[in-house]
Amino acid sequence: MKAWVYREHGDVADVLGLDPELKVPELQEGQVLVKVLAAALNPIDTARVKGVIKLPGFSLPAVPGYDLAGVVVKVGREVKELKVGDEVYGFMFHAKKDGTLAEYAAVEESFLALKPKKLRFGEAASLPLVIQTAYGGLERAGLSHGKSLLVLGGAGGVGTLIIQLAKEVFGASRVAATSSTGKLELLKSLGADLAIDYTKVNFEDLPEKFDVVYDTVGEIERAAKAVKPGGSIVTIVKQNKTLPPPAFFFAVTSNRSTLEKLKPFLESGKVKPVIDPKSPFPFSQAIEAFSYLQTRRATGKLVIHPV
Ligand code: NDP
C-alpha cells in the first residue's frame, strides 16, 4: 500500500517520505482493517514525528496519523459488531507505528463508530480526536446546564467543537471564546455569545468571570484570573509543572461510546465539522498540510482527502 513513513525522528519536511509499497498492517484478533478514505492531522502527529512524544511499544519506521474515516474491508476473529462494508470513523488511540496516513489501517473495533450518514468521509475524519477531547474535557470540568464557559483558542480543531458542544450538548448559558480578529465571526457562528479578540483585549481583565475555563492554548495563569470562585479550569496543553487547583490536565482516550452519544447532534447538523478553507489536502500533499498545521493558524481541521 502507499503510506507516508518516517524512518527517523526530525522535522516533518526532512524525515517524512511517501512509500508506495509499504506492507499492509497485519490484523490482530480485535481489530478491523479499514480502507482509509480520509484522514486528519493533529498537533500530536507533528510531536510524534519529531520524537517529542513516544508511546510505549513505539518503533521506527512509523506511519503518522490518528484520525480516519473509511470502509471496513476485513475483520479480526474477535470482532463482534463491525462487518465488512461498514462505513466507520474514529481515532487510533494506541497508534504505535502504523497510523492513518496510509491506504489501510488496522484499528481496534472499540475505537470505531459507524459514520453518521450526513457526513462525507472528509468531514467525518476531521472529528474523532477533537470531538472526544472537547467532550471529555467539558465533562470532567463539570460544565452543565446554565453554567458559563470561556474557551481559550476557540478557532482551533478542539476549540471549534468545544463551543458547539457547550451550547448544544451541555446547555451552557453563556459561552465566550478567544481568537485573533479575522476569526471572531466564525466563533459567533458556532454559538459563542462573546467573541474576544486576543490581539486587542486581555480576557483576564474583563469584569465577567466564568464557571469553567477550557484552555487549548497553554494560558493557565491567565485562566486562573478569569474563573469564578468554586469554578474549574481544564487544560489540554501539557505543562512541565504542577497545576494549581482548580486547574487540571485532561488527556483524551478513544472510545466509540462518545461518538455514539454525539451521533444525533451530528446527524441533525446541530454540531458541525469545521474544516479549514485550505483543506482538504490530497494525500500527495501531506507535507504541505503538516507545515500549515505547524503555523498554529489553521481554522478548525486539516483533512487529508482523497487518500
Ligand atoms: P490547532 O492547531 O487546531 O489550533 C490552531 C488554532 O489555535 C488557530 O485557529 C489559532 O487561532 C488558535 N490560537 C493559537 N494561539 C492562540 C491564542 N494565544 N489565543 C487564542 N487562540 C489561539 O490545535 P488543536 O485545537 O488541535 O489543539 C490545541 C492544543 O491542544 C494543542 O497543543 C494540542 O497538542 C493539544 N491537544 C491535547 C489533547 C489532549 O488530550 N490533552 C488532545 C487534542 C489536542 P488564531 O489564528 O486566531 O490565533
Side-chain angles (χ1 to χ4, degrees), residues 159-174:
T160 50
L161 268 308
I162 297 171
I163 296 169
Q164 297 183 77
L165 296 185
K167 292 296 274 195
E168 295 293 339
V169 180
F170 289 83
S173 58
R174 186 162 163 82

Side-chain angles (χ1 to χ4, degrees), residues 42-44 129-130 133 152-159 178-181 183 198 216-217 219 235-237 249-252 293 296-301:
N42 291 282
I44 192 172
L129 194 147
V130 290
T133 305
L152 305 182
V158 184
T178 62
S179 77
S180 57
T181 317
K183 297 176 180 176
Y198 71 75
T216 77
V217 179
E219 295 179 326
T235 184
I236 53 171
V237 182
F249 175 72
F250 172 75
V252 68
L293 178 78
R296 303 303 311 272
R297 295 277 85 81
T299 302
K301 293 298 298 178

Side-chain angles (χ1 to χ4, degrees), residues 78-148:
E78 283 181 16
V79 167
K80 296 195 172 56
E81 290 174 35
L82 293 177
K83 54 186 191 319
V84 170
D86 281 345
E87 297 182 348
V88 292
Y89 76 135
F91 83 92
M92 295 179 66
F93 179 51
H94 292 309
K96 291 195 172 74
K97 60 199 284 18
D98 297 319
T100 61
L101 291 191
E103 263 180 292
Y104 294 94
V107 191
E108 280 72 6
E109 180 185 29
S110 60
F111 299 157
L112 296 171
L114 293 175
K115 179 181 78 64
K117 291 201 170 25
K118 187 182 175 76
L119 301 182
R120 295 192 291 264
F121 283 98
E123 293 174 321
S126 77
L127 287 170
L129 194 147
V130 290
I131 204 168
Q132 292 183 69
T133 305
Y135 184 87
L138 289 173
E139 190 176 51
R140 282 275 310 281
L143 188 73
S144 59
H145 193 82
K147 287 191 176 176
S148 60

Side-chain angles (χ1 to χ4, degrees), residues 6 9-12 15-16 39-53 58 62-68 91-92 95 98-101 125 129 286 289-290 293-294 301-302 304:
Y6 55 108
H9 293 295
D11 286 335
V12 175
V15 299
L16 198 61
L41 299 187
N42 291 282
I44 192 172
D45 291 313
T46 312
R48 288 191 60 189
V49 176
K50 287 188 167 170
V52 180
I53 294 177
F58 177 83
V63 175
Y66 282 75
D67 281 317
L68 62 75
F91 83 92
M92 295 179 66
D98 297 319
T100 61
L101 291 191
L129 194 147
F290 266 106
L293 178 78
Q294 287 174 77
K301 293 298 298 178
L302 299 182
I304 307 291

Side-chain angles (χ1 to χ4, degrees), residues 279-302:
S279 191
F281 290 80
F283 192 70
S284 59
Q285 286 178 18
I287 291 182
E288 286 83 349
F290 266 106
S291 55
Y292 184 31
L293 178 78
Q294 287 174 77
T295 65
R296 303 303 311 272
R297 295 277 85 81
T299 302
K301 293 298 298 178
L302 299 182

